[in-house]
Amino acid sequence: MLRKLRKVDYLIVFVMLMLMIISITSIYSVTKETKLDGSHFMMIRYYIVGFVAFIGISLLDYRLLIKYAWYIYLGGLVTLILVIFIGKDINGAQGWIYIGSLSIQPAELFKLVLIIFLSCVLYRKKNKPLLSFWKDVVPVGMLAFLPFALVMLQNDLGNALSYFVILVGLLWIGNIKYTHALVGLTLMGGIIFGSTQAYIHFHDEIIEAKLLKPHWIGRIDSWLLPDSAPSDSSYHTRNAKLAIASGGMKGMGFMEGGYVQKGFVPYAYSDSIFAQIAEEYGFIGSSILLLLYFVLIHRMILIALECKDRAGPFLIVGIISMFLYQLFENIGMFIGLMPLTGITLPFISYGGTSLIINMACLGVAMSVKLHGQEVEEDMPNPQTYRPAPPKQA
């Protein structure tokens, strides 16, 4: 046990504590003297549970997760299917299961499930120098598409897209052919560009044909057509941009944000919490937050590079892909780079399921740190492969 404690990456633990402080104080700032007053106490409880999950998974050998990945995957699919029948609708997405007063969002939980499962599938193809398109890439893609489709049925585009990003990240480290990757990226870029242009040019026809749900149209309009979008559709993102801009360099001060404190930014304690940080702490505070995320991801990259077992890096790359997507999407949707979705800011936004899953993911990364040095699979012994000396003539 003492030997493992010496291996703990305490810089990751420090970053987690700093993010916890930022989260709790930010939630307190925007919920004080509102009907959500006291939410910071609930967030403290979530963090306590999260740290328990982090410590427990850190001590667990991550190879057990790889060993039982198929059972974990099937269990995760069952929860996604249950949501379709017994899930509760919140903010337009039917993604929550209630057990008494406890709410669970299986789509958040399945992020870690998918990382473990795809890591297992690709790890077992370790003897292949490059992935075959039909025998490897397509089957792996179909295994990821199934939960993607189930979450789309729940009307949760944000979490569904995270599955796609995880798949791309793991295929990349799984040695996909460069030609396949180039074709895939080109095709994806063409689809995105073509879809956005078609939406802009045939906007009225799409609305009349009811090809998209009304709240999707509102979110896309506020992203692609902000000047002509109805005021109620662009209200959220417009006020979030104004809040971020009003923060300036140093911010307006703790609990002094004019937009977030007066309720002009919806969900400032959860999805929109970056607007609160930018307005009250300014560019400097926002940069410090992003620096903490950078340190966290950098430390995980180092763990992956030091790991002697091939399964460990798969897990960490999947986790990093998930975090990068959440960061880019959450911050990007409030500065006009991305459409508005229900993606939380990792470790900062209010939410039990999201926080605990993120803490569990860091527990997996720490488990790779603690146990990844014990295995030397696929690490050739230099003495074994030392070339024989040339024969004397």
Side-chain angles (χ1 to χ4, degrees), residues 47-125:
Y47 256 106
I48 292 173
V49 177
F51 271 106
V52 171
F54 169 75
I55 295 171
I57 296 178
S58 297
L59 297 176
L60 178 71
D61 193 332
Y62 67 93
R63 287 165 292 179
L64 290 175
L65 299 175
I66 297 296
K67 181 179 180 180
Y68 297 106
W70 275 96
Y71 299 101
I72 296 173
Y73 176 76
L74 293 175
L77 286 180
V78 169
T79 61
L80 291 180
I81 294 172
L82 282 176
V83 171
I84 297 175
F85 296 99
I86 63 173
K88 301 296 182 180
D89 190 296
I90 298 179
N91 298 327
Q94 183 184 353
W96 281 261
I97 294 178
Y98 279 83
I99 304 176
S101 59
L102 178 66
S103 63
I104 300 173
Q105 191 177 7
E108 288 279 356
L109 172 64
F110 203 87
K111 293 176 184 177
L112 179 55
V113 171
L114 188 64
I115 291 170
I116 294 171
F117 177 68
L118 293 183
S119 297
C120 170
V121 174
L122 292 171
Y123 168 69
R124 291 179 178 176
K125 300 180 182 295

Side-chain angles (χ1 to χ4, degrees), residues 80-300:
L80 291 180
I81 294 172
L82 282 176
V83 171
I84 297 175
F85 296 99
I86 63 173
K88 301 296 182 180
D89 190 296
I90 298 179
N91 298 327
Q94 183 184 353
W96 281 261
I97 294 178
Y98 279 83
I99 304 176
S101 59
L102 178 66
S103 63
I104 300 173
Q105 191 177 7
E108 288 279 356
L109 172 64
F110 203 87
K111 293 176 184 177
L112 179 55
V113 171
L114 188 64
I115 291 170
I116 294 171
F117 177 68
L118 293 183
S119 297
C120 170
V121 174
L122 292 171
Y123 168 69
R124 291 179 178 176
K125 300 180 182 295
K126 58 186 177 181
N127 294 325
K128 293 187 175 183
L130 292 172
L131 296 177
S132 168
F133 180 77
W134 292 110
K135 293 182 179 180
D136 300 321
V137 177
V138 171
V140 170
M142 293 302 296
L143 291 171
F145 177 77
L146 180 56
F148 175 89
L150 290 173
V151 174
M152 284 298 292
L153 289 176
Q154 301 169 20
N155 206 18
D156 189 353
L157 177 62
N159 280 318
L161 288 177
S162 69
Y163 301 165
F164 176 75
V165 175
I166 291 169
L167 172 65
V168 171
L170 287 173
L171 284 176
W172 180 259
I173 192 179
N175 285 337
I176 188 173
K177 292 181 180 179
Y178 289 138
T179 53
H180 293 163
L182 180 61
V183 170
L185 291 175
T186 303
L187 181 62
M188 181 176 62
I191 292 174
I192 294 174
F193 178 78
S195 299
T196 54
Q197 291 302 310
Y199 183 86
I200 293 173
H201 289 90
F202 300 100
H203 178 266
D204 295 338
E205 291 80 354
I206 291 174
I207 293 178
E208 291 177 3
K210 298 181 179 180
L211 297 178
L212 295 174
K213 296 182 179 180
H215 79 279
W216 282 18
I217 292 176
R219 292 181 176 185
I220 297 174
D221 283 353
S222 64
W223 173 46
L224 294 178
L225 305 167
D227 295 331
S228 59
S231 57
D232 56 341
S233 298
S234 60
Y235 177 86
H236 192 164
T237 53
R238 183 181 66 252
N239 287 342
K241 290 178 185 178
L242 292 173
I244 293 171
S246 65
M249 182 61 69
K250 297 182 180 179
M252 303 183 69
F254 182 63
M255 297 186 69
E256 297 295 332
Y259 284 91
V260 294
Q261 293 296 333
K262 294 179 181 179
F264 291 118
V265 180
Y267 308 109
Y269 64 100
S270 57
D271 297 350
S272 311
I273 201 165
F274 182 77
Q276 179 271 334
I277 294 172
E279 184 178 27
E280 296 188 2
Y281 305 117
F283 177 80
I284 295 175
S286 303
S287 299
I288 292 173
L289 175 63
L290 294 178
L291 178 62
L292 290 173
Y293 285 127
F294 173 82
V295 172
L296 190 65
I297 292 172
H298 177 255
R299 297 305 300 179
M300 287 193 287

Side-chain angles (χ1 to χ4, degrees), residues 383-391:
Q383 296 181 353
T384 304
Y385 291 89
R386 183 178 299 166
K391 295 181 180 180

